[in-house]
Amino acid sequence: MKEIQFTQVQNNCCASETNKDVVKTGGNPSSNLPVAIIGAGPIGLAAAAHLIERGENIIIFESGAEVGSHIKEWGHVQVFSPWQYNIDKAAARLLEKAGWERPDDDVLPTGKELLEQYLYPLSRLPEIESNIKLNAKVTAVSRKDMDKMKTLGRESQPFIVLVEENQLTTLYEAKAVVDATGTWGKANPVHSSGIWTKEEGDLKEHIYYGIPDINSRDGERFNGKKVAVIGGGHSAINSMLELSKDPNTKIFWIMRKSKVGNAYGGEDNDQLKARGALGSRIHRLVDQGRIKVFTPFHIHQLKQVDGKINITGTSLGEVKQVEGIDEIVVNTGSRPDFSFLGELRLSIDQSTESVETLAPLIDPNVHSCGTVRPHGEKELRHLEKNFYIVGMKSYGRAPTFLMATGYEQVRSIAAYLAGDYEGAEKVELELPETGVCSINNVSNQVEESCCSPTPAAKVSSCCS
């Protein structure tokens, strides 16, 4: 166990460096303490911009070597929302003061362009850059001198944020904490029961979690191979569109949806045309026989046979196999990491693992709405006052998050933390409809529209 040297530091001055871990503390839980933001992706940096505009002190912890480190992993992928939905308003105001040239609102950026034209310039603004700590992994968040069991005086105590940086473990105090770590890097497994198996671990050299970059780093690995893509969402569609660039690659699409048409989304009815176009493009490839579909298919086992992978599962009650696979691409969604939040009192839905009040809006067991009504500080509260989970992580395992939704979340939270309670309750966001919105009737396996006229009791938690 590491020894921690407790060094009292007043007024946020820097502690003297020693060869031991250092604890930075601030005195008492006053308004001078910063708001700690965990994660320097689009939502974390937007939170910083809103808090800076309101005169709040901030500190940002990013576990990667640069901001937006997760986006860099899918930098080759074009997002389906144009720039107008990808730029936070407060961030834009700060950038424009520094002479930043805004991209065309109607253009669809790639992940790389999102970084180079927006996040990198934003992170280099002096008021943000001076408050970012890179290669700083948060390993725990708690209340000062209080574990989860302690209640008396809890809300008056500052937060303690434990951070690994430069081979040291450092403690920081904060008056509020905003967790914007997202869910990228915490992929779901292939097994239909949601469990990790030894077989999946043993085959890790032949399993890719994410969207391959066929034009660059991943072409040699996948081109001309028999590749199984597992998942029924936009990431799976993007993976197959990448793989289809090589006509000699054989693509097998495995998913649990009741029918392949459910994966195409709104197509022409989607107000985000690029999102609808993804479904239309994959629809054509399936109709042309370019992609072989296995659905509904519930995976139960992976097994390596003569250097190939056999995938065993059930389909409509029968045991089926997909044999002779060279590589597997997994796009089964992701899940949030709560491992460093164990001493906080969280309000988490037990099925979606989202913030509890969001679950009725996003739970795919209830409906398939890709459009979720705007929400803010009030909906994102936890039992732990002034702690918030925002961005993709606030949706837990649900896959329907849009960046613009996260920007509205942090705008509202920043207003609340700055004492502007009226501003926190305002809704300042309009989102495009997906063209797909249905309630899943589990009892008889039919889908009913929850965007068309139906009894109010059925649509109260949907996209209206």
Side-chain angles (χ1 to χ4, degrees):
M1 179 179 295
K2 286 186 174 182
E3 179 182 356
I4 299 179
Q5 177 177 321
F6 288 84
T7 304
Q8 187 73 19
V9 182
Q10 300 295 335
N11 299 324
N12 295 324
C13 293
C14 296
S16 60
E17 293 296 328
T18 71
N19 62 350
K20 296 181 180 179
D21 295 347
V22 176
V23 177
K24 295 181 181 178
T25 61
N28 46 49
S30 69
S31 59
N32 291 327
L33 286 176
V35 176
I37 300 168
I38 310 174
I43 310 305
L45 292 183
H50 282 279
L51 288 163
I52 287 169
E53 276 200 330
R54 291 180 173 274
E56 296 291 323
N57 296 324
I58 62 167
I59 186 166
I60 309 167
F61 301 108
E62 168 56 46
S63 62
E66 57 187 335
V67 302
S69 56
H70 287 163
I71 295 177
K72 193 172 183 179
E73 296 181 31
W74 51 269
H76 59 290
V77 178
Q78 186 180 62
V79 302
F80 49 65
S81 54
W83 275 112
Q84 72 175 102
Y85 295 113
N86 301 329
I87 298 174
D88 174 72
K89 293 178 181 178
R93 289 190 290 267
L94 293 178
L95 283 164
E96 286 163 357
K97 288 180 182 178
W100 172 71
E101 186 174 342
R102 184 187 180 98
D104 187 334
D105 276 352
D106 297 325
V107 170
L108 301 169
T110 62
K112 182 181 178 183
E113 291 166 341
L114 187 66
L115 290 171
E116 293 177 348
Q117 298 180 42
Y118 173 52
L119 290 184
Y120 289 162
L122 179 61
S123 70
R124 293 177 188 134
L125 295 177
E127 58 267 55
I128 291 183
E129 187 175 35
S130 61
N131 292 299
I132 295 179
K133 291 188 172 295
L134 301 175
N135 296 306
K137 182 179 180 181
V138 174
T139 58
V141 182
S142 186
R143 290 282 189 178
K144 184 177 181 180
D145 298 331
M146 286 190 161
D147 62 21
K148 186 186 263 185
M149 290 284 291
K150 301 294 189 299
T151 299
L152 185 62
R154 186 176 187 86
E155 292 185 359
S156 66
Q157 288 293 91
F159 288 93
I160 292 293
V161 184
L162 186 66
V163 184
E164 290 183 357
E165 51 181 332
N166 300 321
Q167 298 182 325
L168 300 176
T169 300
T170 310
L171 284 180
Y172 294 85
E173 288 188 8
K175 72 173 186 178
V177 176
V178 177
D179 179 353
T181 55
T183 58
W184 187 265
K186 292 284 292 182
N188 288 326
V190 302
H191 200 290
S192 64
S193 300
I195 57 176
W196 289 94
T197 63
K198 182 178 183 300
E199 289 80 9
E200 184 167 354
D202 291 343
L203 288 167
K204 63 182 180 181
E205 298 301 321
H206 297 280
I207 300 178
Y208 185 97
Y209 300 91
I211 302 172
D213 183 358
I214 296 303
N215 287 338
S216 183
R217 63 174 187 252
D218 301 316
E220 185 176 347
R221 175 173 177 174
F222 294 102
N223 286 345
K225 304 286 182 63
K226 293 177 70 174
V227 184
V229 177
I230 301 172
H234 293 111
S235 293
I237 291 174
N238 270 309
S239 289
M240 289 182 288
L241 292 175
E242 280 286 307
L243 293 166
S244 68
K245 292 176 180 177
D246 177 40
N248 297 315
T249 301
K250 294 181 172 59
I251 305 170
F252 300 80
W253 189 7
I254 301 174
M255 58 182 160
R256 290 178 287 185
K257 293 183 183 296
S258 60
K259 54 185 179 180
V260 66
N262 293 343
Y264 299 150
E267 298 194 65
D268 292 341
N269 295 321
D270 196 322
Q271 288 185 13
L272 285 178
K273 296 303 180 184
R275 180 170 58 189
L278 285 178
S280 297
R281 290 172 65 190
I282 212 71
H283 193 167
R284 287 193 295 272
L285 289 174
V286 170
D287 287 348
Q288 293 165 4
R290 184 70 179 81
I291 296 170
K292 187 172 183 180
V293 178
F294 295 83
T295 194
F297 194 102
H298 295 80
I299 296 174
H300 294 160
Q301 185 183 50
L302 302 179
K303 188 175 181 180
Q304 192 166 29
V305 179
D306 298 328
K308 304 288 186 178
I309 302 171
N310 290 347
I311 303 172
T312 303
T314 57
S315 179
L316 301 176
E318 296 184 17
V319 176
K320 297 286 183 69
Q321 267 199 347
V322 182
E323 300 178 332
I325 298 298
D326 296 304
E327 298 282 345
I328 295 176
V329 174
V330 180
N331 298 128
T332 54
S334 51
R335 55 186 64 179
D337 177 12
F338 298 114
S339 62
F340 59 96
L341 304 176
E343 289 306 312
L344 298 181
R345 299 176 177 183
L346 305 181
S347 302
I348 300 296
D349 179 75
Q350 290 303 300
S351 58
T352 62
E353 294 189 347
S354 68
V355 176
E356 193 168 33
T357 54
L358 298 187
L361 308 178
I362 60 178
D363 187 349
N365 293 301
V366 179
H367 58 75
S368 62
C369 294
T371 301
V372 178
R373 69 173 176 81
H375 51 272
E377 186 276 336
K378 184 177 181 180
E379 291 84 358
L380 295 167
R381 291 176 188 173
H382 290 265
L383 295 173
E384 199 74 65
K385 184 174 174 57
N386 290 343
F387 172 81
Y388 301 95
I389 295 175
V390 300
M392 186 67 194
K393 188 172 180 178
S394 71
Y395 276 37
R397 299 191 185 195
T400 52
F401 177 77
L402 292 173
M403 272 189 287
T405 300
Y407 296 156
E408 172 65 6
Q409 290 177 339
V410 296
R411 181 208 62 78
S412 176
I413 289 168
Y416 182 85
L417 293 176
D420 180 7
Y421 305 127
E422 182 179 350
E425 291 186 0
K426 289 180 180 177
V427 173
E428 299 183 5
L429 176 67
E430 292 183 5
L431 291 174
E433 298 291 342
T434 63
V436 177
C437 198
S438 63
I439 291 177
N440 297 321
N441 189 327
V442 178
S443 62
N444 56 17
Q445 297 299 310
V446 299
E447 293 186 354
E448 301 172 347
S449 172
C450 63
C451 292
S452 58
T454 53
K458 288 188 176 181
V459 302
S460 60
S461 65
C462 198
C463 28
S464 58

